[in-house]
Amino acid sequence: MIRPLLLSTSDKAGGAARSSWRLHRGLRAVGCPSRMLAFNKSSDDPAVRAFRPSLSVGRRLARRLRERSLRRDLPIRLAGDPPFEVFHTDRSVHGADLLDTIFPQAGGAPSVGNAQSEGSPDAPPDVLNLHWVVGMFDDAAFLPAAAARVPLVWTLHDMQPFTGGCHYDRGCGRFVSPEGRPGCGRCPQLAGDAERDLSRRIWERRARAFAKIPTDRLTFVTPSRWLGAEVGRSSLCGRFPVEVIPYGLETDVFRPRNQAAARELLGVPPDAKTALFLADAVNNVRKGFSYLKGALERLRGLPNLCALTVGRGVPDLPEGLPHVSLGSVSDDRLLALAYSAADLFVIPSLADNLPNTVLEAMACGTPSVGFAVGGVPDMIRPGETGLLAPPEDVPALADTLAALLSDDALRTRLGANCRRVAEAEYPLARQAHDYQALFARVAGAAA
């Protein structure tokens, strides 16, 4: 039995972490002895271990020296007010310290294998499955050394691992370098216009790191076809194999609920035409709430229009529009009630991978409206599971919202299709089996 170890900055907090957590639980449900190592652990799962840096004098001194070195890249000054999205470096004060936790020396720190009982408790993993790992290690120190020990499978939740630090390039394309020349530099998401800026330095360090990894020791997994194509274009990672495996979710938790009951519980007016917006932070520029506001301004004449929002922050909505805010919600069953209370889910993202929110809405039988960006069209199929508008086109977004909110029969038909597609294409067991097969292939090829 292949023993994978999933690495993630957090086990449950944030969209990418929720995806890796679901995969971990799905793998264990199909009999795969998955383990997880996270910087921030919030679950009580004994198969998840929190990373604890060594407190030895030598390691503490090394972290202090790395911290001084990291200051050359800091502070990261972003363009825009507010900026488009966060930006992260490829370096960490922890260097390659994770290697000692994952592959302990004799008499050293206990193995992550102690987090579960399958097989030898000190056995190292057969495969490392990286997820959102910002801040966990230095790419240059960790990646080649880890790949020399076991095969790596890197599940990408955005573009950051193959760019100069941005999570979405917003179409700039500078991560694709001209023949024989370095990529990135003069990053539009960083303040200033220096050619050899922080993004160029990150790109160059990553180029040296990836060059040390044989092609058969690293496989990328992307949840969306769009992100898979972007990896293929990448000058850093285009030579590595790429598999497209969509996210899965618990269709028994995310399922249609009685709309009238859900609205009563959440305080949504019973006769409202309700559009739901959900994001970790409603004011995240990339999530496009300002475009939704513009679309709702154009729908003032639509009877009984109501906005339902979920996420941190106070949304800036058109004056006088009825609005129910649930704030930040982490409970899946409460989220399922929110999706069921809405007539449609709207995702005006300016860039996205395969948003969990659309999958969750589909599983709850709620059709979606959004911009045709990234992996969103993988799920929102016009006339089948929802409607799409061209990116950043506010009038078109308003028209699609009006078309769906005004047609009860269309919403009913699309909602039934959503549930059917979710059950057929995105069940958690299917994702888990696909990963289990991939882990077996890469481990077998490395044997």
Side-chain angles (χ1 to χ4, degrees):
M1 180 70 72
I2 301 298
R3 299 182 301 270
L5 176 65
L6 281 60
L7 300 185
S8 177
T9 303
S10 173
D11 60 347
K12 294 181 73 174
R18 281 166 57 83
S19 298
S20 58
W21 167 256
R22 282 174 175 163
L23 173 61
H24 165 66
R25 300 300 296 168
L27 286 167
R28 294 186 70 84
V30 299
C32 178
S34 171
R35 295 167 288 166
M36 196 171 185
L37 181 62
F39 262 15
N40 304 305
K41 177 182 177 179
S42 57
S43 73
D44 58 2
D45 186 340
V48 178
R49 179 178 173 187
F51 172 63
R52 296 286 183 260
S54 170
L55 297 179
S56 71
V57 173
R59 286 303 172 86
R60 283 187 291 172
L61 178 60
R63 286 196 295 273
R64 181 65 61 86
L65 293 174
R66 288 192 207 108
E67 185 177 11
R68 290 181 180 177
S69 176
L70 278 169
R71 289 175 187 164
R72 300 171 193 165
D73 290 347
L74 301 174
I76 298 175
R77 295 186 299 117
L78 299 178
D81 185 21
F84 177 67
E85 180 59 286
V86 294
F87 190 103
H88 288 99
T89 181
D90 59 319
R91 304 177 69 193
S92 166
V93 295
H94 301 289
D97 290 353
L98 274 176
L99 292 172
D100 289 340
T101 300
I102 300 168
F103 309 103
Q105 303 296 319
S111 164
V112 293
N114 285 332
Q116 51 90 50
S117 59
E118 290 90 355
S120 169
D122 293 319
D126 301 305
V127 176
L128 276 184
N129 180 204
L130 284 62
H131 285 264
W132 207 84
V133 290
V134 167
M136 293 188 80
F137 51 74
D138 269 3
D139 287 9
F142 178 85
L143 291 173
R149 290 166 169 81
V150 295
L152 306 184
V153 172
W154 198 335
T155 300
L156 300 181
H157 301 279
D158 54 37
M159 300 174 69
Q160 202 270 349
F162 58 89
T163 71
C166 70
H167 289 258
Y168 291 91
D169 79 330
R170 207 175 184 183
C172 95
R174 292 177 184 171
F175 68 94
V176 182
S177 62
E179 188 74 25
R181 296 175 58 190
C184 290
R186 197 170 291 170
C187 177
Q189 295 188 43
L190 294 177
D193 62 352
E195 183 65 30
R196 197 171 187 281
D197 61 3
L198 174 59
S199 73
R200 170 66 59 80
R201 299 196 299 274
I202 292 173
W203 193 97
E204 290 175 338
R205 290 195 296 257
R206 283 183 161 160
R208 292 190 291 271
F210 283 121
K212 297 176 182 177
I213 303 175
T215 305
D216 62 352
R217 301 295 290 185
L218 172 58
T219 299
F220 286 102
V221 174
T222 65
S224 67
R225 292 174 294 176
W226 162 78
L227 191 55
E230 293 299 282
V231 177
R233 295 176 59 216
S234 165
S235 302
L236 294 177
C237 301
R239 67 185 177 91
F240 296 104
V242 180
E243 300 266 346
V244 177
I245 302 178
Y247 294 138
L249 80 167
E250 307 90 336
T251 54
D252 58 332
V253 175
F254 289 95
R255 57 180 174 80
R257 313 293 174 113
N258 181 276
Q259 187 178 80
R263 290 188 171 194
E264 183 178 4
L265 284 169
L266 300 180
V268 178
D271 58 349
K273 297 295 186 184
T274 304
L276 169 65
F277 174 88
L278 191 156
D280 181 57
V282 296
N283 295 319
N284 182 324
V285 173
R286 181 176 61 84
K287 292 298 184 178
F289 189 84
S290 64
Y291 292 82
L292 174 58
K293 178 187 177 182
L296 293 174
E297 289 273 14
R298 291 172 170 266
L299 298 181
R300 284 185 175 276
L302 191 68
N304 300 319
L305 181 63
C306 177
L308 174 62
T309 61
V310 177
R312 291 182 289 109
V314 180
D316 180 21
L317 285 160
E319 186 176 352
L321 176 70
H323 170 227
V324 176
S325 173
L326 302 182
S328 184
V329 176
S330 59
D331 183 84
D332 286 345
R333 286 175 172 77
L334 184 54
L335 286 173
L337 284 174
Y339 290 115
S340 296
D343 289 300
L344 60 80
F345 174 67
V346 57
I347 181 161
S349 294
L350 308 182
D352 231 320
N353 177 17
L354 196 82
N356 283 308
T357 51
V358 178
L359 293 182
E360 292 164 358
M362 289 173 62
C364 293
T366 303
S368 296
V369 167
F371 290 139
V373 299
V376 172
D378 286 8
M379 301 172 291
I380 303 181
R381 303 162 193 179
E384 183 182 358
T385 61
L387 298 174
L388 289 171
E392 302 184 39
D393 189 332
V394 171
L397 181 63
D399 289 345
T400 56
L401 286 168
L404 202 48
L405 287 171
S406 301
D407 193 330
D408 294 351
L410 178 60
R411 288 200 313 278
T412 298
R413 179 173 65 82
L414 297 188
N417 290 340
C418 283
R419 179 64 185 178
R420 175 182 55 78
V421 171
E423 290 182 309
E425 300 183 25
Y426 302 109
L428 190 55
R430 176 173 176 174
Q431 181 197 23
H433 282 302
D434 287 347
Y435 268 90
Q436 194 173 29
L438 174 60
F439 293 155
R441 287 200 305 274
V442 299

